[in-house]
């Protein structure tokens, strides 16, 4: 059976106290909305519809950055979850598969849970995701009868007996698409909030003789995020799980609580990650690498056996081949560093290509930006770049060539050549003593 996703993301999120739409606040470097889209992607949906409201243009931009084929529809008035889902009707016209309703502020539902819901749909008309809450609080309650889900009762409309039930509603619902919209059409707003509750479709479905059931999941999967405090809690939960998964997959974390992963970080087995390392989005680290303390990586690829840091920064486009060494206080951006090359300390390498086994001395800078355009530096194999070399791009240093320390390279260096471009040193006898005496006298006179 084909599936369509309907992801609700129209809420303003007033408790966030933010101009940014709630679903665009980030966890592990990615908007909550994208986490929800990634969860639903496990079912390989044929269509995805995001229902936006507050900040719709920003929501659409974020959604399409993840899935260019997504359809974004607008809920102009916030009249409840049933009303929100109804906005997806036209976008799903003619679709005859199942529809799964997810929430843009509920980012942690596991693929296995959604697969269980899809399996339950084979034998039931409507499937609801529920959880047994440690503290049911103000959650809606799932009321069962004769092994069927009989109805969902919102807390504010529930009796004392119904509030004693601890099987709670996540809000996630799956049904045949046409059936879903038929049921929504029958929803009224005669309730304490005057809203059209999506949850009312269960009672309507049962009254029509349709079947409904509950798939249970862990409470942590249904975590909804409505405030900055809850966002921090969600981030901590994500990081705890990511660290645990990394260790289970053979990654050594010497101080796990100080390492922060992004939502898409990939790290191979037998890699060692030292304390206070931060991964931004888009990082892959192959097996057997070492990421030393206080390094920051984003949008980069680190190959087997490479050593990065301490205090290194790898920016988007940094590609490190096997056994590369990038040392302390080095920044690399949009550069390919070939096998066995070394950039050991205090250097900036941007918009560059470094050949195999080349050595980049301390303080080397690729001067890649002229104020308008970026330019490329190319260094061949087995080259030696002396400390404090300025490489004014575009420029090429050939295989086995050298630059003398302090050289400003403004033209290509042929293979095997030594480039020297610095002023000739001249020592002025006794000048330092005379100069200091003069300066001290001026200072004493001024005081």
């Amino acid at each position: 059976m084909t599936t369509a996703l309907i992801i609700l993301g129209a809420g303003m999120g007033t408790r966030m106290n933010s101009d940014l739409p709630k679903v665009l606040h980030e966890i592990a470097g990615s908007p909550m909305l994208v986490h929800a889209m990634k969860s639903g992607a496990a079912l390989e949906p044929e269509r995805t519809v995001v229902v936006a409201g507050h900040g719709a243009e920003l929501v659409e931009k974020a959604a399409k950055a993840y899935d260019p084929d997504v359809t974004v529809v607008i809920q102009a008035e916030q009249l409840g979850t049933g009303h929100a889902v109804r906005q997806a009707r036209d976008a799903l016209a003619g679709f005859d598969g199942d529809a799964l309703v997810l929430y843009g502020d509920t980012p942690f539902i596991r693929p296995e849970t959604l697969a269980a819901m899809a399996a339950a749909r084979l034998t039931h008309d409507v499937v609801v995701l529920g959880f047994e809450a440690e503290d049911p609080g103000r959650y809606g309650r799932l009321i069962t009868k004769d092994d069927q889900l009989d109805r969902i009762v919102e807390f504010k409309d529930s009796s004392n007996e119904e509030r004693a039930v601890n099987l709670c509603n996540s809000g996630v619902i799956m049904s045949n698409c046409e059936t879903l919209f038929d049921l929504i059409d029958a929803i009224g707003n005669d309730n304490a909030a005057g809203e059209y509750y999506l949850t009312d479709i269960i009672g309507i479905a049962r009254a029509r003789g349709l079947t409904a059931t509950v798939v249970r999941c862990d409470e942590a999967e249904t975590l909804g995020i409505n405030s900055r405090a809850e966002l921090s809690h969600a981030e901590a939960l994500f990081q705890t799980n990511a660290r645990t998964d990394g260790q289970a997959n053979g990654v050594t974390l010497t101080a796990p609580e100080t390492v922060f992963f992004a939502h898409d970080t990939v790290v191979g087995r037998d890699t060692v990650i030292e304390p206070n390392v931060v991964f931004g989005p888009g990082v892959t680290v192959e097996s057997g690498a070492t990421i030393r303390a206080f390094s920051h990586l984003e949008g980069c690829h680190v190959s087997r056996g490479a050593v990065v840091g301490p205090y290194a920064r790898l920016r988007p486009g940094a590609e490190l081949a096997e056994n590369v060494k990038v040392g302390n206080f080095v920044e690399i951006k949009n550069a390919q560093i070939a096998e066995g090359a070394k950039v050991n300390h205090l250097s900036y390498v941007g918009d560059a290509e470094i050949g195999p086994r080349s050595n980049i001395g301390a303080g080397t800078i690729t001067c890649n930006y002229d104020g308008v355009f970026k330019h490329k530096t190319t260094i061949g194999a087995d080259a030696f770049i002396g400390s404090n070399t300025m490489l004014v791009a575009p420029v090429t240093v050939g295989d086995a060539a050298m630059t003398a320390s302090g050289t400003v390279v403004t033209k290509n260096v042929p293979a095997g050549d030594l480039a020297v471009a610095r002023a000739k040193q001249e020592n002025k006898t006794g000048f330092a003593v005379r100069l200091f005496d003069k300066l001290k006298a001026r200072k004493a006179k001024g005081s």
Side-chain angles (χ1 to χ4, degrees):
M1 178 64 70
T2 56
T3 304
L5 303 180
I6 302 172
I7 303 177
L8 306 188
M12 183 177 293
T14 54
R15 290 169 58 194
M16 283 288 189
N17 191 21
S18 174
D19 293 331
L20 191 69
K22 179 172 69 168
V23 297
L24 298 188
H25 286 267
E26 293 188 350
I27 297 170
S30 183
M32 289 190 282
L33 173 64
V34 172
H35 284 270
M37 294 174 71
K38 288 177 68 175
S39 292
L43 296 182
E44 299 181 351
E46 185 174 304
R47 302 188 196 181
T48 299
V49 180
V50 172
V51 181
H54 173 65
E57 291 184 2
L58 294 174
V59 172
E60 181 171 12
K61 182 179 179 180
K64 285 187 175 293
Y66 175 73
D67 178 7
D69 296 325
V70 71
T71 300
V72 178
V73 299
I74 306 300
Q75 184 189 20
E77 295 183 273
Q78 313 297 299
L79 301 178
T81 51
H83 177 261
V85 174
R86 185 181 292 146
Q87 309 313 303
R89 182 198 295 272
D90 291 344
L92 295 177
F95 181 74
D96 61 358
D98 284 348
L100 172 67
V101 179
L102 296 172
Y103 295 81
D105 61 356
T106 305
F108 293 147
I109 298 176
R110 298 184 306 130
E112 295 86 349
T113 298
L114 297 183
M117 291 187 71
R121 257 290 295 133
L122 298 176
T123 54
H124 292 83
D125 296 303
V126 184
V127 179
V128 173
L129 182 62
F131 59 97
E132 294 183 356
E134 183 176 341
D135 178 13
R138 302 185 65 82
Y139 288 117
R141 303 302 203 268
L142 301 180
I143 308 301
T144 58
K145 183 179 180 181
D146 299 329
D147 296 324
Q148 290 278 329
L149 176 60
D150 189 61
R151 64 190 187 280
I152 304 176
V153 184
E154 296 293 339
F155 178 84
K156 64 187 76 172
D157 300 308
S158 60
S159 66
N160 289 334
E161 182 181 1
E162 289 165 337
R163 291 180 182 182
V165 174
N166 76 335
L167 182 59
C168 297
N169 176 38
S170 72
V172 176
I173 290 179
M174 191 173 194
S175 178
N176 171 267
C177 190
E178 183 177 354
T179 301
L180 176 66
F181 288 118
D182 284 345
L183 294 170
I184 286 174
D185 284 341
I187 295 174
N189 65 345
D190 183 18
N191 52 59
E195 294 184 349
Y196 296 90
Y197 292 149
L198 179 63
T199 51
D200 285 352
I201 70 170
I202 301 303
I204 297 169
R206 299 293 288 127
R208 293 180 178 181
L210 301 177
T211 60
T213 191
V214 179
V215 168
R216 290 169 169 81
C217 70
D218 188 85
E219 183 177 0
E221 290 186 56
T222 68
L223 180 67
I225 299 163
N226 298 293
S227 67
R228 304 279 184 166
E230 290 172 353
L231 187 67
S232 296
H233 177 65
E235 180 74 37
L237 179 63
F238 178 93
Q239 295 301 336
T240 296
N241 291 337
R243 294 160 187 156
T244 300
D245 289 346
Q247 290 171 312
N249 291 327
V251 178
T252 295
L253 304 176
T254 57
E257 68 282 359
T258 70
V259 175
F260 289 83
F261 294 100
H263 66 103
D264 58 354
T265 306
V266 177
V267 183
R269 62 188 294 186
D270 293 322
T271 285
V272 176
I273 301 176
E274 294 182 358
N276 297 294
V277 171
V278 176
F279 293 93
V283 177
T284 297
V285 180
E286 294 185 11
S287 299
T290 299
I291 312 299
R292 288 183 170 156
F294 293 97
S295 294
H296 186 283
L297 292 76
E298 180 178 0
C300 62
H301 176 258
V302 179
S303 296
R304 180 185 295 269
V307 178
V308 176
Y311 294 98
R313 184 182 182 195
L314 301 186
R315 293 171 60 193
E319 295 278 343
L320 275 54
E322 294 187 0
N323 301 314
V324 163
K325 291 186 178 179
V326 173
N328 47 298
F329 302 103
V330 168
E331 180 176 340
I332 296 179
K333 187 271 298 181
N334 191 31
Q336 294 75 51
I337 315 298
E339 183 176 359
K342 298 177 181 179
V343 190
N344 272 333
H345 27 239
L346 300 164
S347 295
Y348 169 72
V349 177
D351 298 293
E353 183 175 329
I354 310 299
R357 299 172 303 281
S358 287
N359 185 90
I360 310 301
T364 295
I365 294 176
T366 57
C367 306
N368 57 331
Y369 184 49
D370 63 10
V372 178
F373 298 105
K374 296 292 183 71
H375 301 281
K376 184 177 181 179
T377 298
T378 302
I379 298 174
D382 301 300
F384 186 93
I385 307 301
S387 297
N388 203 35
T389 294
M390 303 291 110
L391 297 154
V392 184
V395 71
T396 297
V397 178
D399 293 347
M402 298 178 68
T403 68
S405 296
T407 290
V408 178
V409 179
T410 58
K411 61 183 180 180
N412 294 343
V413 182
D417 282 9
L418 167 65
V420 182
R422 60 191 182 201
K424 182 178 179 180
Q425 180 174 327
E426 182 180 354
N427 296 334
K428 297 182 179 294
T429 304
F431 186 85
V433 173
R434 295 195 301 274
L435 177 61
F436 274 116
D437 288 344
K438 183 178 180 180
L439 293 174
K440 291 174 183 177
R442 184 183 301 172
K443 182 179 182 181
K445 184 177 180 181
S447 61

